[in-house]
Amino acid sequence: MPSDAARLIGQLDAATTVLLTVECQRGVVGPDSALPELADAARTSGALANVARLVAAAHDAGVQVLHAVAERRPDGRGASHNARLFKAAERLPIQQLSGSTAVHIADPIPVSDDDLVVRRLHGLSPIAGTDVDALLRNFGCRTLVVTGVSANVAIPNAVFDAVNLGYTAVVPADAIAGVPADYTPAMIRHTLALVATVTTTDDVLTTWRRRPQRATPAPNDTPAPSRSR
């Protein structure tokens, strides 16, 4: 049986891995969050800082980054209304309105020009009913690293959807957060660990640093031509 390190190296090949951040937006985990308890959990646990570390490392390693953002049109068209969660969100003093600062990626997460932002107007999942699956397939993705919030709803949705679609899901346990704080480790242990590779931010970063380096010919070296048969 391969060691945990060997398994991660096999799963986290930069060419076939995509890093997904889930609802790491100012109106959710920022200082002016509509959900201050969740924002506090994401920050005090270190989860948001770890997401930022993972995104920065993904940029360095050549791993594609997708940011999944939940938002709402000012007129509410297309929004879901079939769960208590949606009805409660409609009454919050801060709305995740399209084009507002609330749906910008929160500090300290770095965003590069190569990152893609996928926005959804409905539902609970960052994957189902969005462009994420098609984008992952176009990127040649085999492994999806899932980070962000919340461990209560969107994170398990993303993991289940990824697994159902045939991707390997990797969850850095210290880069997700939910409420109450003790719910997150219970969710990881009793649910996510059954379907995903659960690891840590440091282990993912170490794996990406160990990625094989492509040999560069010396200046005076001329590659030998291949022989035709």
Side-chain angles (χ1 to χ4, degrees):
M1 180 178 295
S3 67
D4 289 345
R7 179 174 60 169
L8 275 180
I9 289 172
Q11 291 178 340
L12 294 177
D13 179 4
T16 57
T17 298
V18 172
L19 173 64
L20 179 70
T21 76
V22 178
E23 296 182 27
C24 291
Q25 56 205 73
R26 294 182 185 179
V28 175
V29 295
D32 299 320
S33 170
L35 303 165
E37 186 181 2
L38 178 59
D40 183 65
R43 291 180 175 274
T44 59
S45 69
L48 189 62
N50 284 330
V51 174
R53 294 171 64 208
L54 286 162
V55 171
H59 292 161
D60 290 341
V63 173
Q64 179 64 49
V65 177
L66 296 183
H67 302 283
V69 171
E71 59 182 51
R72 178 183 176 88
R73 284 172 51 107
D75 60 9
R77 292 178 67 84
S80 299
H81 303 283
N82 57 337
R84 288 175 56 196
L85 178 64
F86 303 130
K87 297 181 183 300
E90 293 173 6
R91 298 191 295 269
L92 292 174
I94 297 172
Q95 294 290 306
Q96 314 299 316
L97 297 181
S98 302
S100 71
T101 58
V103 298
H104 293 178
I105 303 303
D107 293 332
I109 297 172
V111 180
S112 85
D113 291 340
D114 291 331
D115 295 359
L116 295 182
V117 179
V118 179
R119 305 181 184 278
R120 80 177 194 274
L121 294 173
H122 59 84
L124 300 170
S125 173
I127 297 179
T130 74
D131 292 335
V132 169
D133 180 39
L135 293 172
L136 295 179
R137 295 186 188 283
N138 288 346
F139 286 130
C141 177
R142 297 181 63 185
T143 298
L144 185 66
V145 181
V146 180
T147 67
V149 296
S150 72
N152 304 75
V153 178
I155 294 296
N157 263 269
V159 172
F160 294 151
D161 287 344
V163 172
N164 285 332
L165 290 167
Y167 302 104
T168 295
V170 172
V171 179
D174 54 358
I176 67 172
V179 289
D182 59 359
Y183 178 77
T184 300
M187 164 60 75
I188 292 168
R189 179 178 179 182
H190 298 293
T191 302
L192 299 186
L194 302 178
V195 294
T197 297
V198 176
T199 184
T200 66
T201 295
D202 284 343
D203 284 347
V204 174
L205 299 185
T206 298
T207 300
W208 282 340
R209 292 189 195 108
R210 288 176 177 169
R211 70 190 189 281
Q213 300 295 321
R214 183 175 296 176
T216 302
N220 294 328
D221 289 348
T222 302
S226 58
R227 294 181 181 180
S228 59
R229 293 177 180 245

